[in-house]
């Protein structure tokens, strides 16, 4: 398949995700479209193990975003009908899912393996960046 045809397949999946994915349900529009694109691309040839794992990683990221959005709308302590866990507990589960898939990719050499010290340093660096930009957000009046 040449690039123009591939682009056409992707555009169609984005423009009409219901064609392959059916009812949107409680997925965000972005997640619905992303899953339609993934299905369209997957139909072109079998995925490699690496692609499958990367797809899982993207899916877990989308699931975190989806659950965080629900928590912002309905509260961290809300339990969605038919579920047993709060939104906060479900966010934590999705973060564990993402970490598990990340670890699988890292174990296959796709990402660099980090030592515990490197991981701690990376987390601390991220914490500092978040605090820095929260300060900026406060200065411009976007954060209380
Ligand atoms: Mg998950």
């Amino acid at each position: 398949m040449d690039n123009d045809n591939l682009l056409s397949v992707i555009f169609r999946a984005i423009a009409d995700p219901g064609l392959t994915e059916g009812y949107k349900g409680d997925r965000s529009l972005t997640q619905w479209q992303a899953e339609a694109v993934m299905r369209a691309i997957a139909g072109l040839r079998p995925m490699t193990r690496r692609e499958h794992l990367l797809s899982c990683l993207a899916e877990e990221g989308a699931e975190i975003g989806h659950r965080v959005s629900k928590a912002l709308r309905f509260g961290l302590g809300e339990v969605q009908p038919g579920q047993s866990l709060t939104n906060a507990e479900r966010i934590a589960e999705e973060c564990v899912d993402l970490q598990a898939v990340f670890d699988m990719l890292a174990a296959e050499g796709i990402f660099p393996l980090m030592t515990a010290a490197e991981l701690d340093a990376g987390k601390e660096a991220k914490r500092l960046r978040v605090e820095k930009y929260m300060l900026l957000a406060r200065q411009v009046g976007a954060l209380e």
Side-chain angles (χ1 to χ4, degrees):
M1 173 171 282
D2 63 36
N3 282 345
D4 285 345
N5 285 339
L6 177 60
L7 204 55
S8 173
V9 165
I10 292 170
F11 279 154
R12 275 199 311 272
I14 290 171
D16 189 7
L19 197 62
T20 57
E21 281 295 309
Y23 180 58
K24 178 176 165 289
D26 66 351
R27 292 179 281 191
S28 68
L29 176 61
T30 303
Q31 185 175 6
W32 188 36
Q33 290 170 316
E35 288 174 5
V37 168
M38 294 305 292
R39 188 180 298 272
I41 291 172
L44 302 177
R45 64 164 171 72
M47 280 190 186
T48 64
R49 178 179 170 81
R50 171 183 293 196
E51 289 166 342
H52 184 89
L53 286 172
L54 287 169
S55 170
C56 290
L57 189 66
E59 206 173 286
E60 295 305 339
E63 287 171 2
I64 291 170
H66 178 224
R67 190 50 39 199
V68 167
S69 175
K70 294 290 186 191
L72 287 168
R73 290 174 59 206
F74 303 109
L76 284 163
E78 186 252 358
V79 177
Q80 186 177 351
Q83 295 290 324
S84 59
L85 301 177
T86 66
N87 286 325
E89 291 165 333
R90 292 175 71 189
I91 290 168
E93 277 194 347
E94 296 300 352
C95 289
V96 170
D97 287 356
L98 184 127
Q99 186 65 57
V101 176
F102 179 86
D103 289 350
M104 290 176 75
L105 284 157
E108 297 204 4
I110 293 165
F111 299 133
L113 284 172
M114 285 190 255
T115 64
E118 288 169 335
L119 185 59
D120 285 346
K123 287 161 78 175
E124 178 60 9
K126 177 61 180 176
R127 189 188 68 76
L128 292 172
R129 285 195 305 276
V130 169
E131 292 292 345
K132 174 184 169 185
Y133 287 106
M134 282 176 77
L135 188 62
L136 176 62
R138 206 169 277 127
Q139 287 170 348
V140 300
L143 178 64
E144 65 178 7

